[in-house]
Amino acid sequence: MTAIERSRTVAVVGAGTMGQGIAQVALLAGHRVLIYDINAELAAGGVGIVQDRVDRMAAKGRLDPAGAEDAIGRIGAASALADLAGAALVIEAVVEDAGVKRALFGALEEVVAPDALLATNTSSLSVTELAAGLAHPGRFLGLHFFNPAPLLPLVEVVSGFATDPAAAERAYRTVLGWGKTPVRCADTPGFIVNRIARPFYAEAFAVYEEQGADPATIDAVLRECGGFKMGPFQLTDLIGQDVNEAVTRSVWESFFRSPKFTPSLAQRRLVQSGRLGRKSGHGWFPYGPDAEAAAPHTAGPEDAPEKVTVVGDLGPAAGLVELLEEAGIAVTSTEHGGPYIQLPGEGQLVLADGKTSIEFADVVYFDLALDYRGATRIALSAGADTSERTLAEAVGLFQKLGKQVSVIGDVPGMIVARTVAMLIDLTADAVARGAATAEDIDTAMRLGVNYPLGPSEWHGRLGRDWAYDLLHHLDERCPGGRYAPSLALFKLGYAEDAE
């Protein structure tokens, strides 16, 4: 199955920001483009905005003048749906209302040729449901672009229950030819990105609700230790708390209120209070000319221990041994027992495993890092029975390695570790249920939300049992199903063991 020919027309219905962006992508790929909107002035305005963008690209040397002039001549506004009769592909980007979209596609079906593809850019509605009333649902699919469409490479190509595989493949090839990175997925709630990304927000909010740490500290740990580009509190303020919570609630409802996707009460209170983020001047953080940026909790200086003993295999944290030696801390090792770092005061420093410090005599937990060498901040947690000396030695040890240290509450799984474990689990479950391949999910999460690694890449780094064991421990301490490891994750460990 080949891509839609560049000589064929692509139509976009909806002249808002997303519609303009999709139109620009198709236009610069070489198609004739028509923009239609129920408001004719908006359609004409959308055409003008895209033409202005093309002009500016030429002025900046990103397009040659002849190419820009040609593109500007290939886009126009349609005054009626009937004007879209010759389109080979029609993509809608109208209001997220199922009734409005179904009515639109019903009308389009009366207009376009039998071989034309019909696509929705919905991010939250069921593609299968939108196609239910069509006479020819096989040509209907989802093409979920991310905003801004001209800049972000990812496009989710969503097959509904009735979508013809040939239609999905033609759309995939077309988007690929436009210079985008398409990923294939089934019509499941949230598709790939909005489904898999839920724990990134939910676990941060849960740590906050458990009084584990404040928003600025949680954000800093996920950025500076986990390698994520933005923290979830900062990001949801940017997105809009109402928008982010609506997506979470939609996915939760669509999965029959599964505890895996339970919304945050704290975020609900933000929305109810009108603190929607940047657009309202206040969300998790205040905004405006007089607002002061919230600072993460950072521990004061402590003396580093002169020597430590590494007991057992530290697994994902094994790279710390080399860093300790480079920092001048004497390291002795023993293979039996552990895994933990024995401190001089007899306390233990343990990688987050889903348990709590209070269960042990004198333990400090440290969080998972994307790269312990590159991390600039480490989170530690201690229980009520952890000695002051042990906590001070743990703080000093990481400070000696050049890290800032944030001490958080005795939260099982800490921050980065529980977030990554949940991302791995949701991915394993989605793959097992045929929602998408592991490779496409990794691509989607890297490109769609700029994660440092895809969940399956994390899983490969951390080992076959790491996420399962951490979630199993979390589930014992926080029962209710949210942290219960999926059957898919359980099976994945056995499958890898058999290789």
Side-chain angles (χ1 to χ4, degrees):
M1 180 61 63
T2 59
I4 293 171
E5 299 82 0
R6 300 298 171 91
S7 59
R8 303 289 302 275
T9 297
V10 171
V12 178
V13 179
T17 300
M18 182 59 77
Q20 296 164 16
I22 296 171
Q24 180 179 330
V25 171
L27 181 69
L28 295 181
H31 294 278
R32 178 173 179 256
V33 173
L34 290 174
I35 296 179
Y36 172 79
D37 196 284
I38 194 169
N39 184 324
E41 290 185 4
L42 288 180
V47 169
I49 288 171
V50 174
Q51 290 174 329
D52 287 344
R53 289 178 186 168
V54 172
D55 264 337
R56 290 198 299 271
M57 291 174 72
K60 293 178 180 179
R62 294 165 56 192
L63 278 178
D64 67 89
E69 184 178 358
D70 175 65
I72 288 171
R74 282 188 280 105
I75 186 170
S79 59
L81 281 182
D83 295 339
L84 311 184
L89 168 63
V90 181
I91 306 173
E92 69 81 13
V94 301
V95 63
E96 282 288 274
D97 182 289
V100 171
K101 291 180 189 288
R102 282 197 299 266
L104 169 63
F105 284 112
L108 283 169
E109 201 171 36
E110 301 290 329
V111 171
V112 299
D115 66 341
L117 297 182
L118 299 178
T120 173
N121 184 58
T122 185
S123 61
S124 61
L125 300 176
S126 167
V127 172
T128 300
E129 180 185 358
L130 295 180
L134 297 179
H136 304 288
R139 62 175 171 177
F140 185 82
L141 71 153
L143 287 179
H144 180 213
F145 289 77
F146 288 74
N147 194 27
L151 298 180
L152 295 185
L154 184 69
V155 179
E156 294 177 323
V157 181
V158 186
S159 291
F161 189 79
T163 302
D164 188 328
E169 184 64 18
R170 186 163 171 80
Y172 180 96
R173 296 291 174 186
T174 298
V175 172
L176 184 66
W178 291 357
K180 295 299 182 181
T181 303
V183 291
R184 299 177 176 90
C185 60
D187 181 27
T188 61
F191 308 144
I192 295 177
V193 172
N194 281 332
R195 173 179 180 170
I196 303 299
R198 295 348 292 163
F200 179 69
Y201 311 108
E203 294 313 308
F205 298 163
V207 170
Y208 168 74
E209 290 175 343
E210 293 163 20
Q211 301 292 294
D214 61 274
T217 299
I218 296 170
D219 274 3
V221 171
L222 282 162
R223 287 194 314 266
E224 300 168 35
C225 183
F228 294 91
K229 300 300 181 184
M230 292 180 72
F233 294 91
Q234 179 188 15
L235 181 55
T236 53
D237 268 357
L238 180 63
I239 294 169
Q241 298 302 329
D242 52 340
V243 174
N244 181 261
E245 197 226 12
V247 173
T248 297
R249 191 165 292 275
S250 173
V251 172
W252 177 58
E253 295 282 3
S254 297
F255 276 109
F256 307 103
R257 300 195 172 189
S258 165
K260 295 279 187 182
F261 301 101
T262 302
S264 162
L265 178 59
Q267 188 180 38
R268 177 95 284 260
R269 293 291 182 257
L270 272 186
V271 174
Q272 290 173 332
S273 68
R275 293 190 169 190
L276 306 181
R278 288 183 176 274
K279 62 186 177 183
S280 70
H282 205 301
W284 296 110
F285 305 112
Y287 299 92
D290 299 325
E292 294 184 9
H297 167 76
T298 302
E302 298 286 356
D303 293 331
E306 295 181 358
K307 60 182 180 178
V308 297
T309 300
V310 175
V311 181
D313 182 358
L314 295 181
L320 283 175
V321 175
E322 184 177 3
L323 297 181
L324 291 169
E325 293 173 337
E326 290 174 0
I329 299 175
V331 179
T332 58
S333 300
T334 176
E335 296 180 358
H336 304 292
Y340 56 83
I341 297 173
Q342 184 76 55
L343 298 168
E346 300 304 317
Q348 298 174 356
L349 188 56
V350 183
L351 176 63
D353 59 6
K355 300 178 184 178
T356 58
S357 296
I358 201 169
E359 300 171 46
F360 306 98
D362 200 8
V363 164
V364 172
Y365 275 107
F366 65 96
D367 211 345
L368 177 71
L370 172 67
D371 169 24
Y372 283 101
R373 181 176 293 278
T376 58
R377 182 178 298 273
I378 296 291
L380 303 179
S381 69
D385 295 332
T386 304
S387 70
E388 292 183 6
R389 176 177 176 178
T390 293
L391 181 57
E393 288 176 344
V395 170
L397 181 145
F398 281 105
Q399 289 175 340
K400 184 72 172 179
L401 302 184
K403 319 298 181 187
Q404 292 186 303
V405 177
S406 293
V407 179
I408 69 170
D410 190 13
V411 178
M414 301 193 69
I415 299 172
V416 180
R418 70 196 278 178
T419 299
V420 170
M422 286 292 284
L423 291 171
I424 290 171
D425 185 58
L426 289 193
T427 295
D429 184 64
V431 172
R433 295 178 185 275
T437 66
E439 294 76 16
D440 274 352
I441 292 174
D442 279 356
T443 298
M445 302 315 288
R446 287 196 312 271
L447 299 183
V449 279
N450 212 12
Y451 284 4
L453 292 175
S456 292
E457 292 173 313
W458 273 109
H459 180 78
R461 274 194 181 195
L462 297 170
R464 66 182 183 88
D465 292 331
W466 181 86
Y468 180 87
D469 289 344
L470 186 142
L471 291 175
H472 176 66
H473 295 151
L474 258 172
D475 184 48
E476 289 181 330
R477 287 149 186 81
C478 306
R482 179 187 183 115
Y483 300 109
S486 67
L487 177 61
L489 188 59
F490 178 77
K491 288 182 174 180
L492 190 59
Y494 274 95
E496 292 183 356
D497 197 32
E499 290 178 356

